Amino acid sequence: MPGTAQSNPAAPHTNREVKVVAISPPPSIEQGPRSSEPHPAPPSGGAPLNPKHAGAALDWFNLFVANIQTGFGPFIAVYLASQSWTQTSIGLALSIGTVAAMASQVPAGALVDAIPNKTRVAAFSVLAFTACALMFAIYPIPLFVYLAEILHGLSSCTLGPATAAMSLVIAGRYGMGLRLGRNARYAAIGNGVGAALMGACGQYVSERAVFYLTAILTMPALIALLPLRKVAVARATPTGDAESLRGDTFKVLADRRLLIFCACAMLFTFTNAPLLMLVSGNMTAKVGNPSLLIAACIVLPQVIVALASPAAGRLADTRGRRLVLLLGFAALPLRAFIFATTSNPALVISVQALDGIGGAAFGVMMPLIVSDVAGRTRHFNLALGLIGFGVGIGGTLSTPAAGWLADHFGIRSAFYALTGVGLLATALVAFAMPETKPDPKAEGQ
Amino acid sequence: MNVTRIVSLMLTLMLLCACHSHPLKVETPAPPAALQPEPPTSEEEPAIPPPTATLPESTEIPPCLPVEAPARSPAKHHIKAPVAVSPEPQPVAPEAPTEASVKPVGMLPSVLGKRVHGPDGEDYGRVVDVLANVRGQVRLAVIEWGGFLGVGNRRIAVDWTLLRFPADPQDGLILEASKRELQSTPEYKDNDRAAALMAAPAQASPMPAASAAAPPAADTKK
């Protein structure tokens, strides 16, 4: 998705894009204090992790994963239409995918928490992507398509937390900001390159070839994981009985900071998701050659995210999370407002740069704040899943709502309504969201 | 143990979905083949013969029926049965005349998903839906075009008579409309305010008088 840290390259703002794949920052062993906290434990077994290799490996992994996710977005509807599917069946397939992705956010987070070797989880998720791509490409009968949709939803929801957890293991809590920024940068590069590649493939070869290409691109992702295969988290021995364990989970999930941020994330995605869809539909109606312009609308924010994410992470580490959040959130109603007032293609494309700013900020802050709140607990991935679920709800509700508004009251009213929601989100961040940056002195490090 | 539970839950979900697989083709209930004079692709054949349609004359399929041809009214009734959108299903009389039989039809490609090109070969997208009125006449095709990787696609409805079916079934269809006309047609929505791009009366094929008087289902030329 352009702008957001969700590694779904093609228009993350469509309703299918709400699969949150938390961008895990590349391991930041090479900078920041090597925290000596007991949890997570350093990688176990064998030679110690080479920091530079691990960092580069995670970078490439993020890039290729973002590449892979391009084909699984709204492009599936185009592909199935070319296979003579009826619109009803296509809608059903897409809904199954959305429901599967939403329903598996929280359980997948818990699953990733339970499995010590996060690299293994990531590897299996990528293998699942390969299977999905091949199911689409070779034999798109309903059974396989529904299966692939469910599998893809589940794998997206395990992959995000797994990469975030890998980063946390290697980065430590105090280096997460910059690392998450680097992760977002490489994911954005992967998004942009993936969109260009898949678009060209779909245009000049065939729609089916896009899925073959996706399957091929999963290989480099797996290879990138090889240096990281020893990354593991020592599972903290559960102390106490089942009662206290359940209480622990509840304590993490009910943390006020997490819940407020979940609400902010929901509102952000609610505003962000339909914007690209509305604007590009408008361009198709008005412009002679819309494909290139829409491609520019998708790729430009990715470029901005690639450029700005590490800076966002650094800023969050030095000046605090709230500042970055505010900047990113404020870009959103501004963008919606400008879209309401003009449909000049040149202006639209340049305003998409604001999408990049909002996306860089949100994409880096989302896993960062979760790691602030829950990084030391055993429920980091569960908390990630919770935020992902909120984002999913926001996105799933907003696209039909915006479409309905645009149908009945015109596209301008839809944009104004989205501006209002964006302002509400910004206000929530400004007045309710506390600062979550961990203070090393206060925590006795 | 948690992992096992989750994995078995996933498998159960997959099995449930497998049991509910949908048929791939259009889901309108098709009467048994034996009762149909024409093969079930009658929904996709226009009731109004397009000017350059090239149904091979050598097959045994009777040509498309103009609506007003009175001599064929029993067969017309049979054709309408699969595509009628009336609320209660019309029981097709089993004691139909001797026309009801299964005939080989050769290779007829699906219309759904077919590429559409402009008069000068420009890419106009794909056919994603075919709309018929209550009398069983195919009136409109819904075409999805534009966008990039599925983002920004736009659906419009066009008059069926604007489509030309080329000689080679593997080629795309030709839509006799300019890009500007496509862009000025409002987006197709499946509601009562739907609007479609209709052929100008002079440029449409010489339609039989009866079907010209058929109620235009919310058609407006934009």
Side-chain angles (χ1 to χ4, degrees):
Chain A
M1 303 186 188
T4 65
Q6 308 176 4
S7 62
N8 226 335
H13 309 290
T14 63
N15 57 349
R16 278 198 48 81
E17 289 298 337
V18 274
K19 300 183 183 138
V20 172
V21 181
I23 301 303
S24 56
S28 60
I29 302 184
E30 58 273 318
Q31 37 83 355
R34 173 145 1 199
S35 58
S36 51
E37 46 191 21
H39 179 89
S44 54
L49 208 54
N50 184 334
K52 282 191 64 165
H53 282 173
L58 250 186
D59 289 344
W60 284 110
F61 179 68
N62 274 308
L63 196 145
F64 283 114
V65 161
N67 258 341
I68 297 168
Q69 295 278 52
T70 320
F72 289 111
F75 180 72
I76 289 182
V78 174
Y79 172 63
L80 291 179
S82 77
Q83 300 294 310
S84 302
W85 275 51
T86 62
Q87 292 301 297
T88 325
S89 306
I90 293 177
L92 183 66
L94 295 182
S95 304
I96 287 181
T98 312
V99 166
M102 293 246 294
S104 45
Q105 285 278 3
V106 176
L111 181 67
V112 176
D113 273 330
I115 299 178
N117 190 334
K118 313 298 183 192
T119 314
R120 197 171 291 174
V121 176
F124 276 127
S125 304
V126 173
L127 280 174
F129 284 151
T130 318
C132 292
L134 288 177
M135 277 197 266
F136 274 117
I138 298 180
Y139 205 34
I141 57 173
L143 170 66
F144 284 169
V145 167
Y146 300 155
L147 213 61
E149 287 282 316
I150 295 176
L151 193 59
H152 179 249
L154 186 61
S155 312
S156 295
C157 296
T158 54
L159 187 60
T163 38
M166 281 195 289
S167 313
L168 185 57
V169 167
I170 313 172
R173 287 183 81 216
Y174 301 104
M176 277 291 263
L178 189 51
R179 256 336 185 177
L180 283 167
R182 275 197 66 159
N183 266 16
R185 152 177 286 182
Y186 283 91
I189 297 177
N191 276 344
V193 169
L197 266 181
M198 307 285 183
C201 189
Q203 185 89 0
Y204 298 117
V205 186
S206 77
E207 282 93 354
R208 191 185 286 254
V210 170
F211 289 103
Y212 282 122
L213 184 61
T214 305
I216 292 174
L217 283 176
T218 55
M219 294 301 123
L222 287 172
I223 294 175
L225 277 181
L226 285 178
L228 298 167
R229 56 184 181 279
K230 298 266 191 341
V231 171
V233 170
R235 199 201 298 239
T237 3
T239 53
D241 49 16
E243 277 293 322
S244 70
L245 281 182
R246 240 176 286 137
D248 186 28
T249 313
F250 187 68
K251 200 161 72 96
V252 166
L253 287 184
D255 190 331
R256 187 173 154 266
R257 300 173 292 173
L258 200 65
L259 291 178
I260 294 180
F261 184 64
C262 191
C264 296
M266 210 182 302
L267 286 175
F268 182 88
T269 316
F270 192 93
T271 316
N272 205 12
L275 281 178
L276 183 64
M277 173 195 83
L278 288 174
V279 140
S280 47
N282 220 13
M283 280 221 269
T284 301
K286 298 204 158 58
V287 168
N289 193 1
S291 307
L292 271 171
L293 289 172
I294 299 177
C297 279
I298 294 177
V299 173
L300 176 65
Q302 295 301 333
V303 172
I304 306 282
V305 170
L307 293 174
S309 296
R314 238 193 311 264
L315 194 63
D317 275 340
T318 53
R319 302 280 291 274
R321 325 302 195 203
R322 272 178 51 99
L323 178 63
V324 183
L325 263 187
L326 269 174
L327 286 175
F329 272 59
L332 201 52
L334 181 62
R335 182 165 144 239
F337 186 70
I338 298 182
F339 281 157
T341 52
T342 175
S343 62
N344 179 348
L347 206 56
V348 162
I349 295 181
S350 22
V351 166
Q352 277 293 97
L354 286 175
D355 183 6
I357 294 178
F362 184 69
V364 175
M365 291 302 109
M366 204 265 291
L368 184 60
I369 289 181
V370 173
S371 114
D372 289 341
V373 171
R376 283 177 134 193
T377 72
R378 284 177 298 127
H379 300 295
F380 171 56
N381 297 293
L382 182 67
L384 270 179
L386 177 71
I387 303 292
F389 184 67
V391 166
I393 290 187
T396 313
L397 289 180
S398 69
T399 322
W404 183 88
L405 266 179
D407 283 345
H408 287 83
F409 299 105
I411 203 168
R412 205 163 273 207
S413 338
F415 281 130
Y416 284 135
L418 289 174
T419 312
V421 179
L423 286 172
L424 180 64
T426 315
L428 193 62
V429 168
F431 298 118
M433 181 73 206
E435 178 60 59
T436 61
K437 185 169 111 164
D439 187 1
K441 292 191 272 298
E443 289 174 354
Q445 289 288 333
Chain B
M1 205 200 68
N2 286 336
V3 181
T4 324
R5 249 194 264 159
I6 291 172
V7 168
S8 46
L9 189 63
M10 275 169 49
L11 284 172
T12 320
L13 272 173
M14 289 183 202
L15 275 173
L16 279 173
C17 288
C19 297
H20 286 96
S21 315
H22 282 246
L24 188 57
K25 289 297 181 187
V26 176
E27 288 146 357
T28 50
L35 291 173
Q36 279 182 293
E38 262 86 5
T41 54
S42 59
E43 177 187 316
E44 286 146 359
E45 289 177 3
I48 314 156
T52 60
T54 53
L55 285 178
E57 299 302 318
S58 54
T59 68
E60 299 172 88
I61 316 171
C64 298
L65 303 181
V67 173
E68 81 295 354
R72 289 194 161 265
S73 42
K76 179 178 85 160
H77 171 78
H78 285 293
I79 291 177
K80 273 185 1 194
V83 302
V85 297
S86 51
E88 70 277 357
Q90 302 179 12
V92 181
E95 64 274 14
T98 50
E99 303 169 60
S101 63
V102 175
K103 297 186 166 90
V105 299
M107 176 83 161
L108 287 178
S110 169
V111 175
L112 289 185
K114 269 277 240 255
R115 281 214 171 276
V116 179
H117 298 282
D120 36 359
E122 204 177 348
D123 179 32
Y124 277 0
R126 288 189 186 274
V127 177
V128 294
D129 210 347
V130 167
L131 308 177
N133 64 10
V134 291
R135 290 150 152 255
Q137 303 162 302
V138 172
R139 303 283 299 161
L140 303 170
V142 179
I143 292 179
E144 189 173 67
W145 69 291
F148 176 77
L149 276 182
V151 182
N153 282 6
R154 217 176 139 78
R155 255 180 245 159
I156 58 170
V158 297
D159 190 1
W160 187 263
T161 57
L162 285 173
L163 285 174
R164 307 281 174 253
F165 289 70
D168 182 1
Q170 300 308 315
D171 289 341
L173 313 180
I174 311 271
L175 178 66
E176 301 280 346
S178 69
K179 199 78 181 272
R180 177 176 306 276
E181 284 169 334
L182 282 193
Q183 287 175 322
S184 57
T185 314
E187 188 164 4
Y188 170 72
K189 299 279 176 193
D190 189 14
N191 54 26
D192 53 1
R193 292 176 295 124
L197 180 68
M198 300 302 292
Q203 123 197 30
S205 55
M207 302 206 305
S211 64
D219 297 339
T220 51
K221 164 96 174 158
K222 289 269 171 165

